[in-house]
Amino acid sequence: MKRSRKLMIVAGVILAAALYYYVALPAINIHSSQTWFVLLFLLVVIGVLYMGRKKLRPVEMRTNKFLKALGVLILALGVIYLVGTLLSSPIVNAKKYQQLMKVEEGNFAEDVEELSFDKIPILDKDTAEILGDRKMGSMVDMVSQFDADEIYSQINYQDNPYRVTPLKYASLIKWFTNRSEGIPAYIRINMATQATELVKLEEGIKYTTSEHFNRNIYRHLRFAHPTYIYGELSFEIDEEGTPYWIAPVKQYNIGLFGGETVGKVVICNAVTGEMDTYEIEDVPQWVDRAYSADLLVQLFDYYGTLKHGFLNSILSQKDCLKTTDGYNYLALDDDVWMYTGVTSVNQDQSNVGFVLSNQRTMETKYYEVEGATEAAAMSSAEGQVQNLKYTATFPLLLNIADEPTYFIALKDDAGLVKKYAMVNVQKYQIVAIGDSVSQCEDNYLELLLSNGVKEAEKDTREVMEISGAITKVAQAVIDGTSHYYLMLEGSEGIFDVSVVDFIDVVRCEPGQKVKLEYKEGEKINTVMSLEFTGE
């Protein structure tokens, strides 16, 4: 009977441990705090069960050799954990923490190219969620069974900025009735055009966050790699549109628990569950997010605040820099870069620069540009439309005419983008508003000229001359001004004559002979003088 009871207790402990592992999915890794806590907890449970089985009195507990040995082991593990935590902290390793991220000085005009309008991501995550929910609402065959997940990862897909998210089962019952086929689609939103697509798959997604039991993506990854400490997962698609889960594996570079970066990346096919593990330097180009934005911000804060040691970062704070609150993303060279402003720890009324950090490679560049904080730029933009009560999204940093410029979308109460704003980083009183991105840029460029930030480009084209009979005349109105377009005998060129500058052009007819001075253009030549030479 006693033997049977012992076996039942052992089986119960093993079952409880297995259930905990199945639900909590802890990493079995010396660098995981959870591993240490579980180990200490198990030792305490063993001690309690032993005392209960032996029915020891308090006096006997103090003299029992097994309990003494167990107590020494628990104390030793506790001391090792506490010492390891101390030796892993920036307090004693400030220099190592400061060197975790390598930061280069960048040239903004050279590094950040001017983007065409179809490459500028005008949506934030909140607006993307609204568009995704609306798309789901229009899909009558799916809306009762599935919802859009809240992930909405930002990626570059076929050289365009997108947000993508899988669907999820609407409820436990909907999971039970649909799990055999899997999730049939994912949502893809072009952040420049706002085009929202529900991409249907030939074979459903079987591994996702809304799955249960072994097909849950977290459990699937844990059982494949019990020792990996995973970072934040992201959902991405490759250039063919195949869905994958990107799971960064944490690497600890300082002591037991300190200096977190990314050492490996596990890429899991969301449909088949097949996995490949890559060293961080070998991650495929199409992957856009190995390092989370929060991790990159933390690493730069270490770089900026620990230049002169830990005590300096707390006391005098000489030369200490930190990131501002918030970040956004910029698509450059088929990668996604995290952007955030940088301000002085002692003086946070303005930015001293900004940082761009590659989410795939951790390559980081710092740009020393004094100017407005993102919060100040957002307030300036909202002030221009205060009568409409629009709210500003967190700015995106753009290169407009070689000027660092905050680009801000302005949203109404429903969360939809209604207008756009551009705010000069260095002179944030220069604020342009437009109903479209192109209109906003035109207004912004005019403000740069009128405020002396930029000078009008000089026309260095050579003045050329041509004579001949007119063969064709066409008229058009551009921006409220009438223009005549002439073609001359013996020439394939088209000559643009403004009525405002040359009123006599209205007399031009085919067959008349004219003499023109003009500047050559790509498609149309601009006329500088017009003279009639006879019939």
Side-chain angles (χ1 to χ4, degrees), residues 317-346:
Q317 298 182 323
K318 178 184 176 183
D319 298 330
C320 287
L321 301 175
K322 66 176 183 178
T323 54
T324 52
D325 294 330
Y327 48 77
N328 211 327
Y329 304 97
L330 193 62
L332 298 171
D333 301 325
D334 199 30
D335 276 323
V336 175
W337 294 66
M338 185 275 302
Y339 151 78
T340 187
V342 177
T343 185
S344 168
V345 171
N346 292 321

Side-chain angles (χ1 to χ4, degrees), residues 179-305:
R179 68 178 305 273
S180 59
E181 291 81 20
I183 292 174
Y186 61 84
I187 292 175
R188 186 169 66 201
I189 302 175
N190 188 311
M191 298 182 64
T193 65
Q194 304 189 47
T196 305
E197 306 169 82
L198 185 75
V199 182
K200 295 185 178 181
L201 300 165
E202 292 182 5
E203 185 179 350
I205 295 174
K206 303 293 197 308
Y207 298 85
T208 182
T209 55
S210 62
E211 271 286 353
H212 301 277
F213 302 115
N214 287 13
R215 278 186 4 195
N216 178 278
I217 184 59
Y218 297 107
R219 193 164 289 115
H220 182 63
L221 290 167
R222 171 57 63 229
F223 289 170
H225 304 288
T227 62
Y228 285 2
I229 305 174
Y230 289 108
E232 185 181 343
L233 270 63
S234 65
F235 180 81
E236 297 191 24
I237 58 176
D238 64 12
E239 294 302 300
E240 286 72 44
T242 304
Y244 289 90
W245 291 100
I246 311 301
V249 180
K250 296 181 181 181
Q251 175 176 297
Y252 293 90
N253 302 279
I254 303 171
L256 280 177
F257 312 112
E260 177 189 333
T261 57
V262 176
K264 304 175 187 291
V265 173
V266 177
I267 300 177
C268 177
N269 188 304
V271 175
T272 65
E274 295 177 358
M275 285 179 274
D276 292 301
T277 302
Y278 297 87
E279 297 296 326
I280 186 62
E281 60 271 14
D282 299 324
V283 174
Q285 175 74 34
W286 64 264
V287 173
D288 290 309
R289 185 182 176 278
Y291 291 86
S292 70
D294 290 330
L295 177 58
L296 292 172
V297 165
Q298 183 184 60
L299 290 172
F300 185 85
D301 283 342
Y302 288 144
Y303 170 84
T305 58

Side-chain angles (χ1 to χ4, degrees), residues 359-375:
Q359 290 198 277
R360 179 174 60 88
T361 65
M362 201 176 75
E363 178 185 357
T364 303
K365 295 185 178 182
Y366 171 69
Y367 303 86
E368 187 174 346
V369 179
E370 293 186 6
T373 63
E374 294 87 348

